[in-house]
Amino acid sequence: MSVPAAPTARDRRRWAQYLVNERAEARVYRELAARRDGEEREILTALAEAEGRHEEHWLGLLGGEPSRLPRPDTRTRLLGSMAKRFGSIFVLALAQSAEARSPYDDEPFATTRMAADEKIHHEVVRGLAARGRRRLSGTFRAAVFGANDGLVSNLALVMGIGATGVPAQFVLFSGIAGLLAGALSMGAGEFVSVRSQRELLAATEPSDFADGAIPHLDIDANELALVYRTRGMPEAEATARARRAVEAAQAIGRGRAHTSPLDIVDSGEVVGSDWGAAVSSFLFFASGAVIPVLPWIFGLSGLTAVALALVLVGAALMCTGAAVGLLSGAPPLRRALRQLAIGFGAAAVTYALGLLFGVSLG
């Protein structure tokens, strides 16, 4: 890289912008590191230090600290604001998208090492974001899809019923009935699903049925090794484990401490509470389904109620879509608009059917 003897004013403004952006990004990573511990803190701290090296590069080109500096760009300010107020998963998801759009590939005054750093940073942030997504995925998926189901299904219901021309009280009753029916269905489904899974796992987990027979086994020739092999142990390890288990069981009679020799295998599957899953599914669905009904709850009717319901549901659909986009590293606006189109498309179909049904009744 060669630097002109007299860089232009435009060059210096661009370098200053890079400088403040690098500083702001380093602060974001330090903010996130302060909330983490162990390996993740070390990784985030290393990212902040790398941004500091880039900052020094631009300071060198500028010949020291400029007297006036621009503000960081909007994206970097947003990252900083979110780092102070929200969980790291949302910030990392935004940072992943931001690191993928590094300006250094086309910047003649940036070193090839800096451009390479930014590509590596993207992969590092992607890995950290993936960890957070895995921790969040189950609960987040249930919340977003439960609320989204409630929004779309109940909006479609009240739009279809309202289009037939029935009184506002009937639309309100239909919306509340749809809310309760859908939420109860979701809750009952989750209860049955989790309870069935728990019962299935209970039927396959190790038991203490044969513990009483272990002290009487032949220490050199016994079938206890077969038990361990059915649980995934290699043959040699199972044989050695069986021998130690028999020795431990026989030691009970000699007054030595002993725990169940078969209680050694972790199934690796954790299933939550069936009632907890049912209640959370009920609430997630109901939280979305109540929104389309709000205009009628507060006494509105006709086109005013329909328009307000569309506005409220549209805002909620865009929020859930944007949240999914953020966490998946995709453009939030695109995901928000897709969610909006799906929800309004379903409502438009039922509204059209309601109009046709209303005309035929009339």
Side-chain angles (χ1 to χ4, degrees), residues 145-147 149-151 153-154 157 174-192 274-290:
F145 287 101
D149 283 349
L151 283 166
S153 64
N154 229 27
L157 176 64
S174 300
I176 293 176
L179 183 157
L180 290 174
L184 288 170
S185 175
M186 291 282 288
E190 281 297 310
F191 179 88
V192 171
D274 41 21
W275 280 107
V279 171
S280 61
S281 292
F282 180 95
L283 294 176
F284 290 146
F285 185 95
S287 67
V290 72

Side-chain angles (χ1 to χ4, degrees), residues 20-318:
V20 296
N21 286 346
E22 294 287 5
R23 285 179 175 172
E25 288 173 10
R27 283 195 296 272
V28 169
Y29 290 131
R30 284 193 291 269
E31 288 272 357
L32 294 177
R35 299 185 180 189
R36 314 302 295 176
D37 51 26
E39 183 183 41
E40 290 191 12
R41 171 176 283 190
E42 294 174 5
I43 292 171
L44 289 164
T45 301
L47 287 175
E49 291 170 354
E51 303 294 359
R53 292 193 298 271
H54 297 177
E55 173 190 341
E56 292 298 324
H57 172 82
W58 299 117
L59 273 175
L61 288 182
L62 289 164
E65 186 75 20
S67 58
R68 295 182 61 183
L69 286 172
R71 297 180 67 190
D73 60 30
T74 303
R75 170 187 59 80
T76 309
R77 292 200 305 273
L78 177 62
L79 279 174
S81 176
M82 292 185 69
K84 294 177 182 178
R85 295 173 174 82
F86 300 104
S88 61
I89 177 59
F90 287 97
V91 184
L92 287 171
L94 277 176
Q96 174 186 332
S97 178
E99 294 285 5
R101 298 191 300 270
S102 170
Y104 294 161
D105 288 336
D106 302 319
E107 173 54 62
F109 293 94
T111 67
T112 55
R113 181 173 296 177
M114 292 169 64
D117 282 349
E118 294 298 317
K119 288 183 170 60
I120 296 301
H121 292 178
H122 174 260
E123 291 304 312
V124 172
V125 173
R126 179 202 291 269
L128 290 174
R131 291 185 180 186
R133 290 185 186 107
R134 284 192 291 269
R135 289 192 292 262
L136 186 63
S137 60
T139 302
F140 178 76
R141 183 181 182 279
V144 168
F145 287 101
N148 192 69
D149 283 349
L151 283 166
V152 174
S153 64
N154 229 27
L155 176 66
L157 176 64
V158 297
M159 291 294 103
I161 295 294
T164 63
V166 298
Q169 292 87 346
F170 191 78
V171 178
L172 174 60
F173 172 79
S174 300
I176 293 176
L179 183 157
L180 290 174
L184 288 170
S185 175
M186 291 282 288
E190 281 297 310
F191 179 88
V192 171
S193 174
V194 174
R195 174 62 66 89
S196 299
Q197 190 175 3
R198 289 174 65 90
E199 291 171 349
L200 180 63
L201 288 176
T204 58
E205 287 177 352
S207 73
D208 59 358
F209 177 77
D211 282 5
I214 291 175
H216 307 292
L217 292 173
D218 185 330
I219 197 169
D220 295 313
N222 64 76
E223 285 75 32
L224 182 56
L226 300 179
V227 176
Y228 293 128
R229 289 175 66 184
T230 64
R231 299 178 187 175
M233 272 191 192
E235 182 178 0
E237 184 181 349
T239 301
R241 189 64 177 257
R243 184 180 181 86
R244 291 196 301 270
V246 173
E247 290 175 344
Q250 292 175 349
I252 297 177
R254 297 192 291 272
R256 287 160 57 184
H258 170 65
T259 57
S260 172
L262 292 182
D263 189 19
I264 62 165
V265 178
D266 181 5
S267 68
E269 297 190 58
V270 178
V271 181
S273 162
D274 41 21
W275 280 107
V279 171
S280 61
S281 292
F282 180 95
L283 294 176
F284 290 146
F285 185 95
S287 67
V290 72
I291 293 176
V293 191
L294 287 175
W296 286 272
I297 290 177
F298 287 101
L300 299 179
S301 61
L303 289 178
T304 303
V306 169
L308 182 57
L310 288 172
V311 170
L312 294 175
V313 172
L317 286 171
M318 292 193 71

